[in-house]
Amino acid sequence: MDEAGLRERNTPQRAPVAEKAKQAVQELNAEEYHSEKDMKDKRTFGRTPNGIVFTVPQTHDMVSQLLSPSQPKNISDIIVLLILGLHGLTLYLLPTFLRIPVFAMVFLFWRGCYNAGIGYLLYIQSNHRRLVAWAKKRKLFINPATGGNPHPMLYYFIKRELETKIPHDYKFEEAPIEYNTWLVFRRIVDLILMCDFVSYCLFAMACGGTPLGESIFMTVFRWVAGWTLVGFNLWVKIDAHRVVKDYAWYWGDFFYLIDQELTFDGVFEMAPHPMYSVGYAGYYGISLMAASYNVLFISIIAHAAQFAFLVWVENPHIDKTYNSPPSRTRSSEPMIDTDYAYAIDDGRVNGAPPLATTNQPSPVHNLLGIQNIDLYRTTDTSVILLQLYVFFLTILTPSTPVFQSLFVANAAIWRIWYSLGIGYVLNRQSTKKKWTRHFLKYGESTEEAWRQWKGTYHLSMTMCYATFIAATWKLYAIPSDWSYGMALLKHVVGLGMISLQVWTAVSVYDSLGEFGWFFGDFFFDHAPKLTYGGIYRFLNNPERVMGFAGVWGAALITGSSAIFFLALLSHILSLVFIQFVERPHMQKLYGQSLRRESGLVRSLKRSLPPPLRQWQGSMDRMLSETVDFVEDFVDAARPRLAAGVSIFVRDSTALFKHPTRISVTRLEPDLAGYDLKDYSIEISGSHLSLSSKHQSRSDYADGTARSYTDSTADFKPLEFEYGAPIRVRWTAPLNHSKKDWVGLYRVADNASREATRVASQGRWVATIRDQYDSSTADQGILVSDSRVSGISRKDGESQDYLTGEMEFSGDKLWWTTGVFEFRYHHNGKHNVMAISLPFNIGISRFDEDDVEQDANGLIRSAVQEALLPVVRNCFDRDPEIAPYTASEPFGSVVGRKDKYAKRVVYAVHQMFGVEFAPEVVQADGNVKNLAWRICNAKMVLVSGRRPLLSDESVLIDVYDGRHRIACHHPVEPVHRITGNSDSIGPILLPKVIFFGLIDYAAGYTRGIRSEAPIKPTREVGSSLTIGYIGRLGMHATAADRGAP
């Protein structure tokens, strides 16, 4: 079907190629958008995950559908309205003392249905398409006229309900199953969301009242402020719906996709996820009008639950759907070997390919975050010890006025150092590269200067905040009466402000990364490219206000003038830093590309009336001129000052990891009708290669393993490659359960052979498709229920049987070595019908003695050859990720999901005995660089040995008085160079002796650099003489008369 056909038809059409469906939908929606039709006549097109393109009918919001007389009503609407009315009637009939606890439980129930119930449904739909699979399995949308629908009454009820709500452009029979499932889902959402809001309002009514002794002014203020927040909340919801429509409001992209250009303006420029952040301002407005801490606390609980819903359900789906990496493109041009293009001082670490460049620092071994704490790193150890010092000093000293003053002074000193001292360093670095020049003076690299700067800044920042917290603790007193005055309110608001600062710091770090957090553009000359993402989409400088909300929250909680002074000092220094340190540097780097107004400011300006907008523009011009005057004055006065003023400050996710199965060990009563001899499992896979050349086999081996009942005494143990797919062939009787499944387990995890008592952790495959409400259950099925004649049976039986085949790969494998087995289970339970023979998953140990060197005497080529097939297995042999050659870069997904890098790290550790962090694999980017790093790491780990660069070699001369025999590193059969007619032939030197001699020579040549090699060694009778040749002509001699 061509695109013209798609335009002419309202019925769903499958695109010729599923990948082209997105392009077709984009073109159709763009054509409709630019057409001259009325807005109500413009159509929207969508697509299903399998490539069906269809017209998306127009729907209306929840409130309009329920309450607007112009909208058609159906039975489900009446049911929802009746339930809402029942809530109000319950409040009226309940005794006064029961209203608050009852409606607190009612609201929490509906809030749980929202965040936990809807969240679970969306999670399983996003990851397993389970709602759609459930609809297919129950045959809900199959026309009963075909005879395939077991629930015809339910079918006609759903059809009538949906067609009543969408009278135009919608036919129930022709709509894709994904769209119909979404329509049913949104009716459930309507019920939950309406009951959630109504029960909250009724709870607020039950708790509402006027505090005793409250003045009329405070009463008016509460109600005006409360209605203002409610009105703002209403505007946020309406404006958000204007942008995202019903499609995103009801999570439509969990079911189908609409590809079109959207302008996220209005409220989406004010705050991230406005419906979940500022969209809950009305809750706090209602709490204010109710004058009830009960309403405030339950509002906070509801808001926190909504953020949990966002973090664990929506954000992962958004990243998967809209931020997936682009398809991989492979170059037809041959890769250029650049092994010899590096300079001797190019930033390599132990001779391995550099992770840092002159434009970017190393992306591995980050400093911030609990997960990055490394006690072998001096900075981390120092920070932890100093934090413990401050903690015990705070706890063990009394809270007398003297100690309180000392703690405040200590906090002020650290704040001044953190602002003035670090600010001066950054200013000098920006103008003169002073910090970097200091380290270059001593022959060190920019990367070393960057590491030392990060340590200094991190230590200063943590001590600044640690001493502030210590001073706050010293001046804090627990209220004796929480109900007196505003003690409780101050604590709630203060903790909220602290949470805001923590969230701001995390958001800033997520947007800037380690590079931006530590002011990387002050140290590395990368191409200026400024983007506004994350929190910077809404604010140009989040640190201006929200970055110090926590210190003001601490001042509010303590009510101390000293803490207020510290907060004021911190905030003033931050504003000065932004104006005089960060802003000039940003202007120097990015110039006109700097944004003058943030998204929040633009949105607020557009919402102002024209007179206020004009007045605001005049004020902006006046303030701008004032700032320019102050800057010019400071610039003119700076040369006359003894020291220039440089002031600044810089402030600061396993749930549902695997769809596990619940262990059920109860034996099924219907097992009596099945014979275990009719079940069997055979397995096949890539056998573990034990050859010294470590060649991989991509095809499946011929060897198979039968069921444990067929094992024989002469059976050889099975060993399969780490990460290679394993195929399972099963047999079962004709009447076997359609819900049988096969799981992969460690042999040692199950003591019983009749029932499995541990969870499969997602490592299982169903025998027949569409039997489970999960798409992952069918992943791996190759053949299902293929009937085989009993004539070919060898066990003496003659009845026919069924067979099938499945493949375990990727996340369905155990990414570790050990002994495993497959278990065939009956009827969706854990009763075992057959067990495969145990097999070993192993990784061939790399042996340097069994590999050949290249022309340069190195074994890196052998390491690459051994490593490449293992890396391909670790990347699931996915052509979008896995490389075909050692030089080919890894797919972009490897950098986004660390599970692939963790697999490689484990394999490298098993093969070579070298342990890396997963970030190293991601940073190296291909097998060639990783092989380099492995070779040099092994050299470094051998005591006293210096790693060799790519074109260095070691020349060993052996003399017995007549013969001179030489070889290159590493030693293999020594090649004779000169000698008499009675030559002694090739010689093999023991590796221990060889490396000892290299160590001796390398140590002797340390510090010697010469453009011209020293003359060859003298002959010494029955002695061994060594010559060491390096890149710059280093040469030395040594004699060991005790050598063989």
Side-chain angles (χ1 to χ4, degrees), residues 886-904:
S887 301
E888 185 176 4
F890 301 151
S892 58
V893 177
V894 177
R896 296 165 59 93
K897 298 182 179 180
D898 60 355
K899 68 175 183 179
Y900 299 107
K902 289 179 179 179
R903 298 172 183 177
V904 176

Side-chain angles (χ1 to χ4, degrees), residues 457-523:
Y457 181 84
H458 184 58
L459 180 63
S460 302
M461 181 187 68
T462 53
M463 286 302 297
C464 177
Y465 282 97
T467 54
F468 178 84
I469 294 173
T472 302
W473 178 260
K474 280 296 181 182
L475 292 166
Y476 172 73
I478 300 177
S480 57
D481 185 2
W482 287 91
S483 61
Y484 176 76
M486 294 187 177
L488 185 57
L489 181 62
K490 289 195 299 184
H491 280 74
V492 172
V493 176
L495 291 175
M497 297 174 69
I498 293 173
S499 301
L500 178 61
Q501 178 170 339
V502 173
W503 174 82
T504 301
V506 173
S507 299
V508 168
Y509 183 78
D510 288 342
S511 298
L512 301 179
E514 195 97 352
F515 182 84
W517 182 271
F518 290 103
F519 305 91
D521 52 8
F522 282 72
F523 294 84

Side-chain angles (χ1 to χ4, degrees), residues 191-471:
L191 173 64
I192 294 176
L193 265 61
M194 290 300 295
C195 290
D196 173 79
F197 178 72
V198 170
S199 60
Y200 173 82
C201 293
L202 295 176
F203 174 74
M205 293 174 61
C207 296
T210 302
L212 185 63
E214 183 182 64
S215 65
I216 186 65
F217 172 78
M218 182 58 67
T219 303
V220 172
F221 172 78
R222 283 195 301 105
W223 282 89
V224 171
W227 278 114
T228 301
L229 290 175
V230 171
F232 174 74
N233 194 156
L234 182 61
W235 174 79
V236 168
K237 298 292 186 181
I238 294 175
D239 198 59
H241 188 272
R242 173 187 63 83
V243 176
V244 302
K245 307 295 191 299
D246 276 7
Y247 166 68
W249 190 276
Y250 287 99
W251 303 283
D253 54 1
F254 282 73
F255 298 83
Y256 63 96
L257 292 174
I258 296 178
D259 303 294
Q260 61 183 355
E261 294 293 333
L262 290 178
T263 302
F264 286 94
D265 57 359
V267 69
F268 285 93
E269 289 184 322
M270 295 183 60
H273 306 286
M275 291 186 292
Y276 296 162
S277 54
V278 296
Y280 271 70
Y283 271 37
Y284 302 103
I286 294 176
S287 302
L288 196 58
M289 290 186 288
S292 169
Y293 283 114
N294 292 332
V295 181
L296 177 61
F297 290 146
I298 210 167
S299 300
I300 295 174
I301 293 172
H303 203 174
Q306 196 66 27
F307 277 124
F309 175 86
L310 172 68
V311 171
W312 289 327
V313 179
E314 282 210 29
N315 280 347
H317 179 79
I318 292 172
D319 291 338
K320 180 173 65 175
T321 305
Y322 301 104
N323 299 326
S324 58
S327 299
R328 187 174 187 176
T329 58
R330 299 181 182 274
S331 175
S332 59
E333 299 179 1
M335 295 289 182
I336 299 175
D337 194 335
T338 59
D339 286 346
Y340 303 97
Y342 295 106
I344 194 170
D345 190 18
D346 57 359
R348 293 191 174 207
V349 179
N350 296 326
L355 296 177
T357 68
T358 57
N359 296 330
Q360 289 289 341
S362 171
V364 303
H365 212 192
N366 288 340
L367 196 58
L368 287 182
I370 297 177
Q371 72 279 6
N372 292 320
I373 292 178
D374 185 354
L375 296 181
Y376 291 92
R377 185 163 49 190
T378 304
T379 300
D380 293 2
T381 306
S382 302
V383 167
I384 292 176
L385 291 176
L386 286 172
Q387 302 304 307
L388 291 175
Y389 167 76
V390 172
F391 173 77
F392 286 111
L393 192 64
T394 306
I395 297 299
L396 298 178
T397 56
S399 297
T400 61
V402 174
F403 279 99
Q404 290 175 343
S405 301
L406 290 175
F407 273 86
V408 171
N410 187 39
I413 292 172
W414 273 107
R415 169 58 66 178
I416 293 172
W417 159 249
Y418 178 52
S419 300
L420 298 182
I422 299 297
Y424 176 78
V425 172
L426 271 181
N427 179 266
R428 296 296 89 191
Q429 174 67 18
S430 175
T431 57
K432 298 182 179 181
K433 297 289 183 182
K434 192 173 182 64
W435 184 276
T436 302
R437 289 177 184 273
H438 172 81
F439 288 90
L440 294 178
K441 180 174 67 175
Y442 293 97
E444 294 173 327
S445 64
T446 304
E447 176 70 12
E448 178 62 20
W450 168 248
R451 281 196 294 266
Q452 295 297 334
W453 156 255
K454 288 204 304 181
T456 302
Y457 181 84
H458 184 58
L459 180 63
S460 302
M461 181 187 68
T462 53
M463 286 302 297
C464 177
Y465 282 97
T467 54
F468 178 84
I469 294 173

